[in-house]
Amino acid sequence: MSGDFEEIYDAIVVGSGANGGVAAKELGERGLKVLVLEAGRTIDPDADLGHPVRDMTKRLYNLASRRQSYQSMHPGYWKANPDLFIDEQDNPYTTPPDRPFSWIRGRQVGGKSLTWGGITLRLSDYEFKAASRDGHEQDWPIAYADLVPYYSKLERFFQVRGDRDGLAQLPDGDYQPTIPLTPGELHLKQVVETRWPDRQLIASRGFGLPKPTAAQPWPPSSSQGSSLQAALETGNVTLQADAVVSHVIFDPTTRQATGVAYIDRLTKQQHQVSGRTVVLCASTIESVRILLHSTAKYQPHGWVDKSGLLGRFLMDHVSTATFFFIPGLPPPATPFPLSGCDSFFIPCFVNLKSQAEDFLRGYGIWGGVQRFDLPGIVRKVGAGSIGFAIAHGEVLPRYDNRVQLDAAVVDAWGIPVPHIECAWSDNEQRMLAHMHAQIDETIALAGGKPMKLTEMFRMPLVGNFVRKMEETMSFSAPPGYYIHEVGGARMGTTPTNSVVNDRNQCWDAPNLFVTDGACWPSSGWQSPTLTEMAITARACEFIATKLEQGGF
């Protein structure tokens, strides 16, 4: 084991994606010495971004060699460099044979922020206090008011675009001016709000399309183009790529975290680094995997999860996607942009007078009309506008949905891999049926009809693959597919009902923090990234204050 704790950092941040970047920025700007550990490689914008022909060649090779079977099931894989998604042969995981989980991952500096769609939505107390309303499981130990200042700070920093729509179920933020809806979306808005007066179709909230320059080649939604860049500019942050974290190290007497053990991705050499605090931002399942591998079951003097809940209550958003064609709506000469703010939302189908739901919690519909097309030579449909609607809803926290370690299978660095057990309950199945009915009615009222991509376009190279994907997703995407997994180290009020407290500290190891999606007690229906970053910023403010006062 090399690296004998030569330097003691104020904080070790595990992960360099959306949350790791925010953690490094918040701590570094307060003068703390921070080490960021990233399992993947350092990437170069010239080599890794903007090569569509090369990227398609890589995809075809990776599919043929079965290196990215799960990764390729997600639409984002077909827009980005496939090297921004993991090699599944080096990074295996296991599931029960009858319960697949599509774990979509990115291991490189910037993590999944490089392939993030850039939608930034706040949660509300409908989500934070949902259990008080319907009696399922437990509330968050924090409320919307606790995150408001951090939401606002992040929205200003990222220059998020959006409208102030005045919706209780989707709180407004501190936004830059939004991008107007397309003519097709305005048509859909009129249809929705006429048919259901208590619903609104609004402009989405988030990042616009990136406009790379020589000075700033990175997307602003990536940590390299925003938070991680700001962190490194403080001079207080050190970034260590190719560092595959194995586990957290604990003092045998105090039981506090003293550092992190990692394996060099290239040389396979083992290292240890020391820190006064450790902040896990590795992504939900990775952070849970690190915690599990840090327990006394696997490590001498390891951490003890007294709650018995570590790994439990894994969630993802339940989702379904529908493409549609509106023949009576003239298409634009050139498709409008599609991005986090160049799109629409019909937010939160819950607590609405027009809904007679037979399920708990809620969902929203994200979509676009006239935002994508293909050249006429590959179109099978005539003149008209093409759109999509993706519904994604809150999955109930359930004890049986969990992550464990599979000691019989190890990754390329000899670390036991996650065994993921997750399935939709009857509640999610009823929600899915409601989603389909609402989407189909909306499309019909707009004068359109649902169609598959393979019905609208000729796809000579990838048609069979897309057809298979459409069949798999025909009613519901499998767990993991939407890349919104949360839970596994949930936040709560006591050491018996949670893994971390309301400040994201692990019970009995108060200098070990979990701030990414792993800490969520329930999933909400909104895209989780902004809330994860707000939770991270709040926790890091607390860390900085405690260290200034003398530590934990």
Side-chain angles (χ1 to χ4, degrees):
M1 183 80 70
S2 68
D4 297 317
F5 303 100
E6 293 89 351
E7 180 175 358
I8 300 177
Y9 293 91
D10 292 315
I12 300 171
V13 175
V14 181
S16 67
N19 292 296
V22 167
K25 172 182 178 294
E26 294 298 313
L27 296 169
E29 287 179 345
R30 288 172 168 83
L32 302 183
K33 295 301 181 182
V34 181
L35 173 65
V36 177
L37 297 177
E38 167 54 52
R41 65 190 177 95
T42 300
I43 64 173
D44 176 77
D46 292 333
D48 287 287
L49 305 179
H51 300 278
V53 175
R54 178 209 62 186
D55 292 344
M56 180 56 75
T57 303
K58 286 183 180 179
R59 290 187 197 102
L60 295 175
Y61 170 78
N62 290 340
L63 289 173
S65 60
R66 299 183 181 276
R67 305 188 79 86
Q68 293 184 317
S69 299
Y70 284 110
Q71 313 309 299
S72 62
M73 295 300 289
H74 195 271
Y77 177 83
W78 297 89
K79 297 188 295 183
N81 178 356
D83 289 345
L84 300 181
F85 295 79
I86 57 96
D87 183 324
E88 293 167 0
Q89 293 184 8
D90 286 344
N91 299 274
Y93 64 100
T94 62
T95 67
D98 59 341
R99 277 174 283 174
F101 188 94
S102 297
W103 190 14
I104 313 298
R105 289 175 283 173
R107 272 194 168 182
Q108 60 274 326
V109 173
K112 293 197 296 288
S113 73
L114 286 153
T115 53
W116 176 34
I119 293 174
T120 55
L121 306 180
R122 296 186 179 198
L123 270 66
S124 74
D125 280 332
Y126 283 127
E127 289 75 47
F128 291 119
K129 305 303 176 184
S132 291
R133 190 174 65 252
D134 59 34
H136 183 83
E137 272 302 325
Q138 61 192 45
D139 288 335
W140 291 57
I142 60 174
Y144 172 66
D146 294 309
L147 291 185
V148 166
Y150 308 98
Y151 275 140
S152 294
K153 180 179 180 180
L154 289 165
E155 287 159 345
R156 292 192 297 267
F157 173 73
F158 289 118
Q159 298 187 341
V160 170
R161 291 182 176 271
D163 278 333
R164 299 182 66 83
D165 300 294
L167 301 174
Q169 74 271 34
L170 188 63
D172 294 326
D174 287 333
Y175 301 132
Q176 300 294 307
T178 193
I179 307 297
L181 297 171
T182 70
E185 291 162 356
L186 290 171
H187 168 65
L188 204 65
K189 177 179 175 70
Q190 183 179 22
V191 165
V192 168
E193 295 177 5
T194 299
R195 170 64 179 84
W196 298 283
D198 58 340
R199 296 183 191 173
Q200 288 190 46
L201 185 151
I202 65 172
S204 186
R205 302 167 179 180
F207 292 86
L209 284 181
K211 298 177 181 178
T213 65
Q216 180 51 279
W218 301 107
S221 54
S222 70
S223 64
Q224 287 101 321
S226 56
S227 55
L228 185 61
Q229 176 182 347
L232 294 172
E233 288 174 352
T234 67
N236 293 320
V237 176
T238 301
L239 173 64
Q240 176 63 63
D242 300 315
V244 182
V245 171
S246 168
H247 58 276
V248 179
I249 302 167
F250 296 88
D251 184 280
T253 302
T254 67
R255 311 306 303 155
Q256 297 230 29
T258 59
V260 168
Y262 74 87
I263 301 169
D264 187 288
R265 183 179 69 88
L266 302 175
T267 68
K268 308 291 178 70
Q269 187 175 5
Q270 298 181 30
H271 298 268
Q272 291 183 347
V273 288
S274 182
R276 298 168 69 192
T277 58
V278 176
V279 187
L280 296 184
C281 300
S283 79
T284 293
I285 296 174
E286 283 287 358
S287 288
V288 172
R289 190 270 302 166
I290 291 168
L291 285 172
L292 286 166
H293 201 228
S294 303
T295 60
K297 179 178 179 180
Y298 294 95
Q299 308 300 335
H301 317 299
W303 178 57
V304 177
D305 168 37
K306 294 181 180 179
S307 71
L309 298 177
L310 179 59
R312 299 286 185 177
F313 300 104
L314 178 68
M315 298 160 281
D316 185 24
H317 280 153
V318 63
S319 66
T320 186
T322 302
F323 292 90
F324 58 90
F325 178 65
I326 306 178
L329 191 63
T334 303
F336 290 87
L338 173 63
S339 72
C341 66
D342 296 289
S343 47
F344 71 79
F345 256 104
I346 308 174
C348 201
F349 283 61
V350 71
N351 301 316
L352 299 178
K353 295 177 183 177
S354 61
Q355 179 182 325
E357 73 276 8
D358 61 351
F359 55 86
L360 299 182
R361 311 294 165 94
Y363 68 91
I365 296 176
W366 176 60
V369 184
Q370 300 174 324
R371 299 225 178 246
F372 73 96
D373 207 340
L374 291 176
I377 192 171
V378 299
R379 279 180 61 130
K380 295 180 180 179
V381 292
S385 292
I386 295 169
F388 70 93
I390 300 176
H392 52 93
E394 178 165 356
V395 169
L396 295 179
R398 295 174 59 236
Y399 182 82
D400 290 340
N401 285 338
R402 67 181 301 191
V403 178
Q404 304 174 79
L405 291 189
D406 188 338
V409 181
V410 297
D411 63 18
W413 300 274
I415 301 171
V417 306
H419 178 74
I420 304 170
E421 299 181 30
C422 189
W424 301 143
S425 70
D426 290 343
N427 191 73
E428 283 83 66
Q429 297 296 335
R430 291 192 294 272
M431 184 183 288
L432 281 162
H434 194 276
M435 291 174 174
H436 280 274
Q438 297 295 297
I439 289 173
D440 289 349
E441 183 177 359
T442 300
I443 293 170
L445 289 170
K449 57 180 179 179
M451 296 187 73
K452 296 178 180 178
L453 285 173
T454 48
E455 293 174 334
M456 291 191 282
F457 302 111
R458 299 177 183 87
M459 300 181 175
L461 288 177
V462 296
N464 288 336
F465 178 81
V466 173
R467 195 171 294 108
K468 180 181 177 182
M469 183 169 62
E470 289 176 329
E471 292 172 358
T472 302
M473 315 300 170
S474 59
F475 183 72
S476 166
Y481 173 85
Y482 212 64
I483 327 182
H484 286 177
E485 60 267 17
V486 294
R490 70 174 178 176
M491 184 189 299
T493 55
T494 71
T496 59
N497 71 11
S498 55
V499 177
V500 302
N501 67 14
D502 64 339
R503 291 290 181 174
N504 300 91
Q505 298 168 279
C506 287
W507 298 105
D508 298 323
N511 67 336
L512 172 60
F513 291 77
V514 184
T515 70
D516 58 19
C519 74
W520 286 36
S522 60
S523 68
W525 64 269
Q526 298 91 328
S527 304
T529 308
L530 178 66
T531 299
E532 291 178 10
M533 291 191 291
I535 290 169
T536 298
R538 178 175 179 266
C540 288
E541 180 180 79
F542 175 74
I543 290 169
T545 300
K546 291 292 287 185
L547 290 179
E548 289 167 0
Q549 295 172 348
F552 297 88

